[in-house]
Amino acid sequence: MVRRHGNRSKYIETYGYTNLFDANGKEIFSEDSDGKWVKYTYDERGNLIYLENSEGGWTKAEYNADNEETYSEDANGFWRRTEYDENGNIT
């Protein structure tokens, strides 16, 4: 079932999940029947830059001008830096 809320659509799936999407169709919120949730944040180019959940977990990411992920970090302190060559290959 889809409900429109201004520039957002709320999609309620029959399997016990509630999902909310932005005007561009990107998922911005999901919740299961137990109340566990995940929130998604995107930059102006549509790249996922932040994800957090109801259990205290999170992940953040940064991207270059070619929309390639260059850095990510999570709540456990794990981080990764990625570099690319001129053809978009990971170096």
Side-chain angles (χ1 to χ4, degrees):
M1 174 165 77
V2 177
R3 294 187 185 139
R4 299 279 178 203
H5 299 281
N7 65 348
R8 294 183 177 178
S9 298
K10 184 175 185 181
Y11 177 73
I12 302 171
E13 192 173 314
T14 57
Y15 301 107
Y17 287 88
T18 301
N19 303 61
L20 184 62
F21 300 87
D22 67 13
N24 297 317
K26 297 277 191 178
E27 185 173 30
I28 57 173
F29 183 81
S30 178
E31 184 175 20
D32 69 15
S33 59
D34 295 325
K36 294 180 181 177
W37 53 263
V38 179
K39 292 180 185 178
Y40 308 87
T41 304
Y42 303 89
D43 65 16
E44 63 280 350
R45 294 176 293 168
N47 297 309
L48 181 63
I49 58 171
Y50 194 75
L51 178 147
E52 67 177 304
N53 66 42
S54 57
E55 298 175 342
W58 56 267
T59 302
K60 66 180 179 179
E62 297 173 3
Y63 298 83
N64 63 19
D66 294 322
N67 297 314
E68 298 163 328
E69 186 179 291
T70 58
Y71 178 79
S72 65
E73 181 181 350
D74 68 22
N76 296 318
F78 175 79
W79 62 272
R80 177 181 64 215
R81 184 159 307 278
T82 307
E83 295 181 358
Y84 301 86
D85 65 18
E86 62 278 352
N87 295 315
N89 300 308
I90 295 174
T91 58

